[in-house]
Amino acid sequence: MKDAQTGEALTPASLQRHLRSAVFGHRIFYYPTIGSTNDRALDLASAGEPEGALVLAEEQTGGRGRRQRTWESRASLGIYVSLVLRPGVPATQAPLFTFTAAVAVAEALRETCRLPGGIKWPNDVVVGRRKVAGILGETRGSHPRIREMVIGIGVNVNHASEDFAVDVRDRATSVRIESGECVDRAPILASILEGFERRYARVLAGKPAELLREWEALSVLPRGRRVAVGGPLGRCEGTVAGVDDEGALLLDTPGGGTTRVPFGEIVEAL
Ligand code: BTN
């Protein structure tokens, strides 16, 4: 069914009509409404669900963002999905998979909606200064290798400005706000899944260089930009010197050294 304000419903059937990936998104767990697709995908992964399974919801009542934030997930407006991964690589490489998702989302928005999306470290997908999509990567347990991981992806698609809470309105955007058009979500999700699968295979094959090059090309805060970063270790300021091969941000600091920041987020461009 097509609605003028929300486009075609995003269901397993509408997704399957556009799907081009070989594995990702072929086993779909669909919920008209759910607490958090990440919670459901973590449970499924613990119960042995194979790699590639997708949890898809039209609405989340407890959508979670990074750093204990909530992710607004109103019915029929966005893409709210979680993917089950079983990469089996050292846990230090986990950020590479959230990078993979961020690049796949930014490229899918370019390809399907001609939206000039970029990435703000580590994995916010932005248009200009406003966020259009977010990625939440989570693992359970503390093993040296990642036995199972969930990648949650939230994309703001057909939101009007007033669909966002007042306190995030000036920091959030959507495909509809940027393009002036209401669009169908299934082709966007199919493109994300195909792009994720292709890049994930390269990273798993021990070839992350191409992904890291793509990530840097999409980065909205390129080398040489002064930034402030917030994270578990507090605030830190410096000049962007790139990312290393595990996705950590490298910052040249005023004292003359280079600081490696594995987790956190850029809180300010200085
Ligand atoms: C962020 O803070 O930028 C990450 C947002 C991630 C939101 C998605 S929506 C689908 C999945 N389920 C959740 O509860 N969160 C992620």
Side-chain angles (χ1 to χ4, degrees), residues 36-38 60 63-66 71 81-82 124 131 134-136 152-154:
S36 156
T37 57
N38 261 36
Q60 294 185 118
R64 296 189 286 106
R66 296 177 67 235
W71 185 260
V81 291
S82 300
D124 285 350
K131 182 157 161 174
I135 316 291
L136 180 63
I153 301 174

Side-chain angles (χ1 to χ4, degrees), residues 118-199:
I119 300 175
K120 185 157 80 77
W121 184 83
N123 44 48
D124 285 350
V125 182
V126 296
V127 180
R129 297 170 73 88
R130 293 176 186 216
K131 182 157 161 174
V132 68
I135 316 291
L136 180 63
E138 294 184 299
T139 51
R140 264 191 195 153
S142 55
H143 302 282
R145 289 187 172 264
I146 311 171
R147 287 204 310 219
E148 56 211 31
M149 179 171 187
V150 162
I151 297 282
I153 301 174
V155 187
N156 302 329
V157 182
N158 287 319
H159 300 64
S161 179
E162 53 276 16
D163 290 320
F164 294 114
V166 177
D167 58 323
V168 300
R169 224 169 258 179
D170 60 337
R171 286 178 279 125
T173 191
S174 72
V175 174
R176 177 177 165 195
I177 292 169
E178 296 299 324
S179 68
E181 282 173 16
C182 189
V183 297
D184 290 341
R185 290 164 290 159
I188 303 175
L189 179 54
S191 175
I192 292 171
L193 293 171
E194 189 273 323
F196 181 87
E197 181 172 283
R198 181 163 35 85
R199 294 176 176 94

Side-chain angles (χ1 to χ4, degrees), residues 22-246:
V23 176
F24 282 87
H26 285 265
R27 270 178 76 79
I28 304 176
F29 295 80
Y30 172 70
Y31 302 90
T33 179
I34 198 170
S36 156
T37 57
N38 261 36
D39 290 343
R40 182 71 186 117
L42 282 163
D43 288 344
L44 286 165
S46 300
E49 192 55 38
E51 179 158 273
L54 178 80
V55 180
L56 165 67
E58 268 295 54
E59 175 188 42
Q60 294 185 118
T61 52
R64 296 189 286 106
R66 296 177 67 235
R67 308 183 85 192
Q68 276 80 52
R69 296 191 186 109
T70 56
W71 185 260
E72 285 188 45
S73 313
R74 292 187 52 178
S76 311
L77 296 177
I79 295 173
Y80 317 117
V81 291
S82 300
L83 284 169
V84 173
L85 310 184
R86 297 192 170 278
V89 299
T92 51
Q93 293 181 22
L96 286 180
F97 304 120
T98 54
F99 271 38
T100 305
V103 171
V105 170
E107 287 296 344
L109 292 178
R110 283 170 183 251
E111 181 190 298
T112 55
C113 313
R114 277 177 259 119
L115 211 72
I119 300 175
K120 185 157 80 77
W121 184 83
N123 44 48
D124 285 350
V125 182
V126 296
V127 180
R129 297 170 73 88
R130 293 176 186 216
K131 182 157 161 174
V132 68
I135 316 291
L136 180 63
E138 294 184 299
T139 51
R140 264 191 195 153
S142 55
H143 302 282
R145 289 187 172 264
I146 311 171
R147 287 204 310 219
E148 56 211 31
M149 179 171 187
V150 162
I151 297 282
I153 301 174
V155 187
N156 302 329
V157 182
N158 287 319
H159 300 64
S161 179
E162 53 276 16
D163 290 320
F164 294 114
V166 177
D167 58 323
V168 300
R169 224 169 258 179
D170 60 337
R171 286 178 279 125
T173 191
S174 72
V175 174
R176 177 177 165 195
I177 292 169
E178 296 299 324
S179 68
E181 282 173 16
C182 189
V183 297
D184 290 341
R185 290 164 290 159
I188 303 175
L189 179 54
S191 175
I192 292 171
L193 293 171
E194 189 273 323
F196 181 87
E197 181 172 283
R198 181 163 35 85
R199 294 176 176 94
Y200 179 65
R202 303 273 302 162
V203 174
L204 274 195
K207 295 176 180 145
E210 203 176 311
L211 171 79
L212 292 167
R213 265 200 305 277
E214 282 188 288
W215 185 94
E216 278 219 51
L218 288 164
S219 174
V220 293
L221 295 168
R223 288 171 195 244
R225 253 326 265 277
R226 285 199 61 231
V227 295
V229 178
L233 304 176
R235 183 183 162 106
C236 158
E237 290 185 11
T239 303
V240 176
V243 289
D244 71 10
D245 58 8
E246 288 180 341

